[in-house]
Amino acid sequence: MTSLSGRLFRATAPHIPTPIARAFSAPAAVFFHGVESAAPDAPVAQNHHEKDEFAKIARALKANFNVLPLGAIDEVLRNPGRHPRALFLMSDDGYANTLGVAADILDDLRLPWTLFVSTDHIDTGTPNPMLILRLFFAEAADGVYRIPHIYPPVALAGVAQRASEESRVMRQIAELDARRARVAISAMAKTVGDAVARYPAERFLLWDEVRALARRGVEIGAHAHWHWPMNGAQSLRTLRGQAAWSKARVETEVGPCRFFAYPFGQPADVSAQAWRAVREAGFSHAFTTVSGTLDASSNRWLLPRYGLPMRAGNVASLVAMLRAGNPRLRRWQEEMAA
Ligand SMILES: [Zn+2]
């Protein structure tokens, strides 16, 4: 949520006492990325919760909500009034520490969850492109870099120029189809060397490990093949590949794959062609990262989801007040249907 109402919500909801907030509760979906035992490698690897803080969040969710397996989604969407405290818990990307750390915490609390994996990263172990980008701008030596599809060449010299080049390149690269963006990212990857060796929190699961989670009852969904926005700059061929190929890879390696989550998942990252490609690929439901609550008035391929805060704070009040996001969610879904 980056709208004004979203900022107000973030500022005020933690101060509403949980019992009052719970009276407003409606079914919702929430997600995290990874969970690390030791202090996460900030600021480069920003995706991971600290273990004790994550355990506090998980206990608060268990105490205040009815955390359900994602298989119950149709019943909850049809009858949201019967399930005001229903909550679906999810993890995105497929980091190895979901098996190493998060799974034990969630198993101890008997909380069901869904893992959305970006299948190319599970297949190859190549890092999340966002990690490569952040590392390139944090670590590449001063100089001029000719990066395919990025014009003019990237000039790194001093803190201020680094920051302005980073925002320019981030804007330009998000406007590239994934096939071209991959070429640009691999050129930057050569400069940053073996990123995953230095940032082990960013290591992805192997398929054997994904299967181990599935055997423990974790629902496995798809989070596209390569972790890239499915925005208006992506060709129809790319969008169809991101949806259909990720589903095929999960089904070959693990089993049936009904659920999808869009990488990044904000309105700028999901095009009207993207959700239709996800529907055509045969997914029954897909999740964005736009805040709101779950009911049958939503497009099933543009469902709302809320990123759990890094600190436990008053997480239960935040989750219970997610209906504050519904007006923005509705407006976006109407635009996307037109
Ligand atoms: Zn992701």
Side-chain angles (χ1 to χ4, degrees), residues 77 80 293-300 303 326 329-330 333:
L77 287 171
T293 61
L294 296 166
D295 62 53
S297 71
S298 265
N299 178 328
R300 274 192 286 140
L303 293 173
N326 287 349
L329 173 73
R330 297 280 173 264
Q333 291 193 337

Side-chain angles (χ1 to χ4, degrees), residues 27-35 47-49 54 57-58 61 65-74 76-77 86-95 97-99 102-103 106 111-117 205 213 217-223 258-263 265 284-290 292-294 300-310 315 319 322:
V30 295
F31 74 102
F32 62 98
H33 288 100
V35 179
N47 271 345
H48 306 278
H49 280 80
F54 182 77
I57 290 171
L61 297 182
F65 300 98
N66 185 16
V67 181
L68 296 174
L70 199 45
I73 184 81
D74 281 314
V76 167
L77 287 171
L87 191 67
F88 299 101
L89 177 60
M90 306 168 180
S91 167
D92 280 7
D93 297 4
Y95 294 108
N97 60 24
T98 54
L99 176 64
L106 298 175
L111 292 176
W113 56 292
T114 299
L115 176 70
F116 290 103
V117 294
L205 292 156
L213 286 167
V218 178
E219 175 85 38
I220 307 299
H223 190 46
R258 294 175 53 197
F259 305 108
F260 189 87
Y262 300 92
S284 64
H285 302 79
F287 292 86
T288 68
T289 61
V290 176
T293 61
L294 296 166
R300 274 192 286 140
W301 296 275
L302 291 172
L303 293 173
R305 209 161 54 126
Y306 175 68
L308 288 168
M310 298 313 277
V315 66
V319 173
L322 286 175

Side-chain angles (χ1 to χ4, degrees), residues 98-319:
T98 54
L99 176 64
V101 186
D104 289 346
I105 294 169
L106 298 175
D107 275 4
D108 284 349
L109 293 167
R110 299 188 197 290
L111 292 176
W113 56 292
T114 299
L115 176 70
F116 290 103
V117 294
S118 296
T119 48
D120 179 61
H121 300 278
I122 310 297
D123 282 341
T124 64
T126 50
N128 190 322
M130 295 312 289
L131 175 68
I132 302 291
L133 281 163
R134 284 198 295 268
L135 278 176
F136 178 81
F137 286 99
E139 296 184 0
D142 282 0
V144 175
Y145 296 86
R146 285 173 207 288
I147 307 293
H149 307 299
I150 300 293
Y151 304 102
V154 184
L156 300 182
V159 176
Q161 190 174 355
R162 232 164 240 273
S164 78
E165 284 289 79
E166 179 166 8
S167 51
R168 169 178 74 92
V169 171
M170 289 291 194
R171 272 197 311 278
Q172 282 189 8
I173 209 164
E175 291 305 313
L176 294 179
D177 181 83
R179 277 176 297 161
R180 286 185 169 177
R182 284 180 85 132
V183 175
I185 302 271
S186 352
M188 292 189 219
K190 289 196 183 88
T191 305
V192 302
D194 193 355
V196 169
R198 284 178 294 130
Y199 295 92
E202 296 286 306
R203 187 171 83 72
F204 284 100
L205 292 156
L206 307 170
W207 282 115
D208 270 345
E209 296 171 320
V210 177
R211 283 187 284 271
L213 286 167
R215 281 195 301 274
R216 286 166 72 163
V218 178
E219 175 85 38
I220 307 299
H223 190 46
H225 188 53
W226 193 52
H227 196 281
W228 198 247
M230 293 171 75
N231 60 21
Q234 309 305 305
S235 68
L236 190 54
R237 178 181 155 190
T238 292
L239 294 171
R240 285 179 170 156
Q242 289 277 54
W245 189 242
S246 61
K247 187 174 199 287
R249 290 299 296 128
V250 173
E251 294 193 331
T252 300
E253 297 288 346
V254 184
C257 180
R258 294 175 53 197
F259 305 108
F260 189 87
Y262 300 92
F264 307 98
Q266 283 290 296
D269 311 312
V270 184
S271 72
Q273 282 190 327
W275 76 258
R276 290 180 171 93
V278 167
R279 181 180 63 183
E280 278 162 25
F283 291 99
S284 64
H285 302 79
F287 292 86
T288 68
T289 61
V290 176
S291 287
T293 61
L294 296 166
D295 62 53
S297 71
S298 265
N299 178 328
R300 274 192 286 140
W301 296 275
L302 291 172
L303 293 173
R305 209 161 54 126
Y306 175 68
L308 288 168
M310 298 313 277
R311 314 290 307 175
N314 205 348
V315 66
S317 292
L318 280 167
V319 173

